[in-house]
């Protein structure tokens, strides 16, 4: 009887693990099919008389409300936060489609600010929108910009992380870093390391802000990618627009003075 009880217990645990995994895999497939791993577009300021709508696309494991606080009072026009789905996951390609569809409905100039992987959206915007300007902050629209250790490490790590979401099941949905889930991290890091299709167009890029001590990106590769575009350097680490907000604000002022 005791042995039978143990067998039943094992079978019950296995059944629960299978339900956890399969139900989560099914939910993930549904979210991808329905665009639920894109973003929420939050209109926080209307265009007004400026005739410009600004889109804020944050970088890795960050949200625009935090990442662009240093900039909000320095720019005119409307503001739209491109807010990531923190727990369901992330598809930068779906976010591109979402932002472009919204921007095409605006009867005004569109300006897109992208931090790190957020600049991926800007490259497509320059390719497909007529009246657009972009600003690149610690940009990583292509994985070749990553430092070798970061690029190789992410290429190895992200498939393992994506695979781990299957046995983890709904545990992958629980927020773990800054409100973001393990599944979101796996998805966004996958896009950081495997997205190679962003159009290499910088014609309407007003300027680039880079960090002098960027631990993840190669500034010389950024300079080559954005050749001919004004670049302003900030003393500090990668995309620390919160802890180093004053320096980024000063960099924006310097960039605007260069542009006249």
């Amino acid at each position: 009887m005791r042995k039978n009880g143990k067998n039943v217990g094992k079978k019950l645990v296995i059944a629960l693990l299978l339900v956890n995994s399969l139900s989560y895999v099914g939910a993930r497939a549904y979210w991808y099919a329905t665009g639920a791993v894109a973003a929420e577009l939050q209109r926080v300021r209307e265009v007004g008389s400026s005739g410009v709508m600004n889109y804020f696309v944050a970088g890795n494991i960050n949200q625009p409300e935090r990442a662009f606080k240093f900039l909000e009072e320095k720019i005119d026009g409307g503001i739209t936060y491109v807010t990531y789905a923190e727990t369901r996951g992330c598809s930068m390609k779906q976010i591109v489609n979402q932002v472009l569809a919204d921007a095409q409905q605006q009867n005004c100039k569109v300006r897109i600010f992208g931090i790190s992987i957020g600049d991926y959206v800007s490259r497509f915007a320059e390719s497909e929108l007529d009246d657009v300007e972009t600003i690149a902050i610690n940009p990583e629209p292509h994985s070749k910009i990553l430092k070798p250790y970061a690029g190789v490490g992410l290429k190895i790590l992200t498939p393992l992380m994506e695979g781990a979401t299957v046995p983890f099941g709904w545990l992958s949905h629980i927020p773990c870093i800054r409100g973001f889930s393990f599944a979101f991290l796996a998805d966004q890091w996958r896009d950081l390391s495997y997205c190679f299709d962003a159009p290499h167009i910088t014609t309407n890029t007003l300027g680039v802000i880079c960090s002098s001590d960027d631990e993840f990106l190669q500034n010389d590769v950024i300079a080559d990618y954005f050749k001919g575009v004004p670049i302003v350097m900030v003393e500090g680490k990668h995309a620390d627009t919160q802890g180093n907000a004053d320096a980024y604000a000063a960099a924006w002022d310097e960039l605007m003075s260069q542009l006249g």
Side-chain angles (χ1 to χ4, degrees):
M1 291 290 293
R2 186 176 298 173
K3 185 177 289 186
N4 288 338
K6 286 183 177 179
N7 288 337
V8 170
K10 287 180 180 178
K11 289 179 180 179
L12 180 60
V13 169
I14 292 172
L16 289 174
L17 290 173
L18 284 173
V19 169
N20 174 53
S21 295
L22 294 176
S23 63
Y24 185 68
V25 169
R28 288 265 282 171
Y30 175 77
W31 292 334
Y32 265 85
T34 59
V37 288
E40 178 186 356
L41 301 185
Q42 297 178 290
R43 201 85 74 215
V44 297
R45 199 165 78 194
E46 296 301 325
V47 172
S49 59
S50 69
V52 178
M53 174 57 74
N54 301 283
Y55 289 84
F56 289 170
V57 192
N60 182 229
I61 57 172
N62 210 343
Q63 293 286 28
E65 184 177 4
R66 299 189 294 255
F68 290 97
K69 187 63 67 177
F70 77 96
L71 188 62
E72 285 191 9
E73 299 306 316
K74 289 182 169 290
I75 61 172
D76 295 327
I79 293 176
T80 298
Y81 290 161
V82 181
T83 302
Y84 296 124
E86 295 178 329
T87 56
R88 289 190 296 270
C90 178
S91 168
M92 292 306 297
K93 291 183 179 179
Q94 288 191 14
I95 291 171
V96 165
N97 294 334
Q98 183 182 31
V99 171
L100 293 184
D102 189 78
Q104 285 166 349
Q105 296 176 12
Q106 304 299 317
N107 188 26
C108 63
K109 179 187 289 292
V110 169
R111 188 178 292 140
I112 300 179
F113 294 78
I115 298 177
S116 189
I117 186 63
D119 188 67
Y120 179 80
V121 177
S122 298
R123 297 312 106 211
F124 281 92
E126 290 205 30
S127 172
E128 299 188 27
L129 298 179
D130 294 327
D131 195 8
V132 63
E133 296 173 342
T134 69
I135 295 87
I137 302 173
N138 301 109
E140 196 263 352
H142 194 287
S143 61
K144 69 181 181 181
I145 292 174
L146 290 167
K147 289 188 173 179
Y149 86 90
V152 173
L154 285 174
K155 283 181 173 63
I156 295 172
L157 182 62
T158 51
L160 298 176
M161 291 177 67
E162 290 280 1
T165 63
V166 176
F168 289 174
W170 288 96
L171 292 175
S172 304
H173 192 71
I174 298 173
C176 58
I177 299 178
R178 302 184 78 180
F180 292 93
S181 69
F182 180 82
F184 181 94
L185 293 175
D187 285 354
Q188 197 173 59
W189 289 356
R190 173 206 62 215
D191 285 350
L192 276 164
S193 53
Y194 285 101
C195 278
F196 309 119
D197 60 342
H200 188 180
I201 300 174
T202 60
T203 308
N204 293 324
T205 304
L206 295 182
V208 179
I209 298 176
C210 291
S211 298
S212 60
D213 301 316
D214 198 311
E215 61 271 43
F216 302 120
L217 306 183
Q218 303 177 86
N219 285 332
D220 58 334
V221 180
I222 292 175
D224 183 64
Y225 189 97
F226 290 91
K227 189 174 295 183
V229 178
I231 296 177
V232 176
M233 299 298 295
V234 169
E235 293 290 331
K237 300 293 186 181
H238 175 74
D240 185 15
T241 58
Q242 293 169 256
N244 204 15
D246 289 345
Y248 275 91
W252 172 254
D253 290 341
E254 181 180 343
L255 184 61
M256 290 300 97
S257 68
Q258 288 187 28
L259 295 174

